[in-house]
Amino acid sequence: MTTVPRIQLSDGTSIPQLGLGTYKLDDDTVIPVIHEALEIGYRHIDTAKIYRNESGVGRAIATSGVARDDLYITTKLWNDDHLQARSAIEASLERLGLDHVDLYLVHWPFHSAGTAARAWEQMVEIREAGLATSIGVSNFLPEHLDAIAAVSDVVPVINQIEVHPLLQQAELRAECAKRGIRVESWGPLGHGSVSLAEELPQLAAIAEAHGKSVPQVVLRWHIEEGLIIFPKSAHSARLRENFDIFDFSLNATEMDAIRALNQDRRVGVHPHEGNWS
Ligand code: NAD
């Protein structure tokens, strides 16, 4: 079976570099998808309170036959829970049927409310209580990282941000690297909003040279950039396709050609605008 590489985090733990995203899968649909993914070899699952599927994720784990210690589970603190993070994670754990998650993320900085730093102080307590082994953030810009650094010496291990060939985020990734923060790419295939194969026809030649599909080349690009990914699919063939990216590599010319495709073009929401409660 394929062994997924692990990425070392600044708190001494490590995370499988490839996992399964679950955005838009509900409590029922997520169960067979996770079972299929675990059979293929996925061991890392990314969920969030706002995806409203934590109960389904929990049921899928409980009935999978895979040992809890072999799994890496991430969930996230929603905006309207910034001031009550402890009760929010307790409710998430209850739905997941777990006593801890491997990674808990502040989902958005909730820029308009300015509550990220207060949320982070509670995240540190949550880690100390053992409810989350590691803690990090999502959709944070340097200004938000500065805000939490002003109240705590504990640095997030991860910043989960939108990254794909159309939006490569070189500057923010460099800033995270400088601070010892690893980057997870959300929407690694374009968030389901755009087809990268159609937007970037240049990818087809690289895919053809390797006998791979365009999504496989894009996912491989993330892997070789050192990014952590969890593409989402509900379809067996695509789950397999997205996992089958460890038997080839992109050469320096191909990596540079993909880097040159950046358009600084978001398909998702800007961190200043992720203000839903
Ligand atoms: P994605 O880039 O993983 O795209 C998913 C879509 O791409 C699927 O719905 C499907 O339409 C298509 N797809 C998947 N595999 C394919 C294949 N092999 N061939 C062709 N099409 C394929 O987008 P995503 O789901 O938004 O991102 C991945 C995960 O990141 C999410 O499921 C979620 O867990 C997380 N996420 C986090 C945030 C955040 O704010 N932190 C935001 C969005 C997503």
Side-chain angles (χ1 to χ4, degrees), residues 201-210 214 254:
Q202 304 92 325
L203 292 169
I206 300 175
E208 200 180 329
H210 291 280
V214 167
E254 292 166 332

Side-chain angles (χ1 to χ4, degrees), residues 63-75:
T63 53
S64 69
V66 177
R68 168 69 184 96
D69 287 353
D70 293 337
L71 296 172
Y72 193 99
I73 310 296
T74 299
T75 195

Side-chain angles (χ1 to χ4, degrees), residues 20-23 46-47 51 76 107-108 138-139 160 185-192 215 230-233 238 241-242:
L20 173 72
T22 65
Y23 177 58
D46 183 89
T47 182
Y51 302 166
K76 310 187 192 89
H107 203 148
W108 288 88
S138 178
N139 300 301
Q160 183 181 120
S185 309
W186 67 251
L189 293 171
H191 192 38
F230 23 84
K232 173 253 167 183
S233 178
R238 285 177 171 178
E241 181 182 341
N242 296 347

Side-chain angles (χ1 to χ4, degrees), residues 163-177:
V163 182
H164 42 72
L166 291 170
L167 179 75
Q168 300 189 17
Q169 303 256 40
E171 253 177 63
L172 180 51
R173 284 163 52 198
E175 181 62 33
C176 287

